[in-house]
Amino acid sequence: MQPQIEQLRREAEEQIRSVANVSQLEEFRVTYLARKGRIALLFDGLKGVPPDQRPALGKSLNELRAHVQQLHDGKASSFATVTGSASLDLTQMGRRGHIGTKHPLMQTMDEIKSIFVSMGFGIADGPELEDDYHNFGALNFPPDHPARDMQDTFFVTRDVLLRTHTSPVQIRVMENHQPPIRVIMPGKVYRNEAISSRSFCMFHQVEGLCVDKGVTFSELKGTLISFIKQFYGSSLKYRFRPTFFPFTEPSADIYITCFICNGKGCRMCKQAGWLEILGCGMVHPNVLRNVGYDTEKFTGYAFGMGIDRIAILRYGIEDIRLFFENDVRFLNQF
Ligand code: DAH
């Protein structure tokens, strides 16, 4: 058996030299050192050896095993010094990194922003945690207005809440600037609504505000029609319908022909053939007075639109919650 032991030693010494990575080292270990490896087989062979030769052969075998183990460990630590960790294989091929894309909501938001910027609007920002005064009071909501109800608003304390719309940013802008003002105010808003495929407790709005001497309803119409044509296409039909908001008077909702069914009526437009895309109106004199503006001198218009619904319609998305799940299989499609 002694020659076999010598033979195995030579083979192991030769093979360890060609081991170049962690997986080859593991192969080496399995071949020689594992429980069913070649050294273990020789140990098994001891049983068939005459008893008087066993101690000497056993000793040689133990030495062989220690030697091969050393060869293995030496190689393992040489990998470890290179990589800092024996389990890291520097010779492995690199993995291709994933390059992200802009979130579909932000793509929509950016497009809207650039249209208004091209029409001379600036961009303003406000806090998502608001006080009751900016979210409601200053915007001419009567104290008992249903929108203040706990069902719609996430209150943090009696006076602090998550803003339910971007309109409070109007107030903050006017408190800090004198007319002329021409800004849009994009951001997140929160409402305590039942979550479903059509509505989520957080969504996005773009608010707009223009205040100056002699601003009229026709300026509002001209600006918003220009926006609609640039964003949705110049051949789309639109219409203004009178409505009510506490902070504007007169107020209107703007509808466009449902581009899913082309006005015929479908699930998306609830068979109406029209989609409501934004609310707007002339800033209520009470709102202007609340920020200390002279209502004899200045008038203004404002508007607000939800972004998530626009993006849903645009990309044909079935469930609004997909926007916020961060599933790369969804996000990769945009
Ligand atoms: N704040 C309104 C909402 O959340 C949207 C809105 C309507 C904003 C009319 C305005 C406006 O500035 O003039 O539903």
Side-chain angles (χ1 to χ4, degrees):
M1 184 182 276
Q2 197 61 45
Q4 277 172 287
I5 296 175
E6 289 312 314
Q7 169 74 13
L8 204 60
R9 177 194 298 269
R10 276 193 301 276
E11 279 180 39
E13 281 170 352
E14 194 170 314
Q15 199 181 328
I16 196 75
R17 258 179 261 136
S18 62
V19 166
N21 59 41
V22 172
S23 69
Q24 285 172 7
L25 183 63
E26 176 61 7
E27 236 172 78
F28 176 88
R29 190 191 66 77
V30 170
T31 308
Y32 294 97
L33 295 163
R35 239 173 355 123
K36 298 239 162 72
R38 293 178 65 183
I39 295 175
L41 278 181
L42 285 182
F43 269 106
D44 286 347
L46 275 183
K47 281 179 220 132
V49 166
D52 60 325
Q53 291 176 25
R54 273 184 213 160
L57 283 173
K59 192 164 168 257
S60 302
L61 271 176
N62 277 327
E63 278 164 15
L64 173 69
R65 186 166 57 189
H67 180 61
V68 174
Q69 184 71 50
Q70 231 170 26
L71 295 176
H72 171 275
D73 294 351
K75 192 59 119 178
S77 68
S78 79
F79 290 148
T81 31
V82 179
T83 63
S85 148
S87 60
L88 204 66
D89 179 4
L90 272 191
T91 61
Q92 208 167 45
M93 293 291 283
R95 287 200 200 115
R96 189 181 290 249
H98 291 285
I99 297 174
T101 51
K102 200 168 262 180
H103 193 282
L105 274 174
M106 291 305 119
Q107 288 182 30
T108 309
M109 194 76 112
D110 284 354
E111 217 174 297
I112 293 171
K113 278 190 212 167
S114 77
I115 292 173
F116 281 105
V117 166
S118 77
M119 294 194 286
F121 284 74
I123 295 176
D125 208 0
E128 289 172 29
L129 209 53
E130 262 298 1
D131 51 45
D132 188 89
Y133 175 73
H134 286 88
N135 197 77
F136 295 126
L139 287 161
N140 200 35
F141 280 82
D144 54 357
H145 195 280
R148 291 171 180 237
D149 198 301
M150 284 296 277
Q151 278 165 19
D152 297 316
T153 310
F154 286 113
F155 284 95
V156 177
T157 65
R158 241 170 91 88
D159 187 50
V160 178
L161 47 86
L162 290 172
R163 68 181 179 195
T164 58
H165 51 177
T166 42
S167 303
V169 190
Q170 285 186 26
I171 303 297
R172 294 191 176 273
V173 167
M174 290 190 284
E175 282 172 343
N176 293 307
H177 299 275
Q178 285 301 307
I181 286 175
R182 219 164 220 268
V183 282
I184 56 165
M185 297 150 271
K188 289 192 178 80
V189 302
Y190 301 83
R191 285 188 202 172
N192 193 1
E193 281 170 0
I195 292 171
S196 72
S197 62
R198 297 266 140 241
S199 75
F200 196 62
C201 52
M202 183 273 295
F203 55 101
H204 298 76
Q205 289 186 334
V206 172
E207 189 83 13
L209 177 69
C210 168
V211 185
D212 202 352
K213 286 179 189 147
V215 173
T216 61
F217 197 85
S218 56
E219 193 173 333
L220 174 160
K221 281 184 79 175
T223 306
L224 293 179
I225 291 168
S226 168
F227 163 73
I228 290 167
K229 289 191 165 167
Q230 289 180 66
F231 188 75
Y232 291 99
S234 52
S235 57
L236 203 79
K237 276 204 205 139
Y238 54 84
R239 69 179 186 188
F240 286 66
R241 278 180 101 192
T243 187
F244 171 80
F245 298 109
F247 37 89
T248 46
E249 180 60 34
S251 308
D253 279 327
I254 303 183
Y255 292 75
I256 56 173
T257 304
C258 178
F259 46 77
I260 307 288
C261 61
N262 234 329
K264 287 187 203 67
C266 67
R267 200 166 60 94
M268 198 61 93
C269 59
K270 297 197 181 108
Q271 310 307 326
W274 294 94
L275 293 168
E276 191 241 292
I277 50 156
L278 62 83
C280 58
M282 299 306 289
V283 181
H284 198 292
N286 286 350
V287 174
L288 296 177
R289 270 192 283 274
N290 287 338
V291 295
Y293 284 2
D294 181 348
T295 54
E296 293 302 314
K297 227 161 126 188
F298 298 117
T299 52
Y301 65 83
F303 57 89
M305 63 184 116
I307 305 308
D308 309 60
R309 210 168 70 98
I310 292 176
I312 276 185
L313 294 170
R314 201 161 210 227
Y315 297 112
I317 291 163
E318 293 282 314
D319 192 321
I320 192 170
R321 291 169 289 196
L322 286 166
F323 280 144
F324 311 114
E325 280 169 1
N326 281 339
D327 187 331
V328 284
R329 292 168 301 178
F330 171 75
L331 298 172
N332 271 343
Q333 297 174 52
F334 302 95

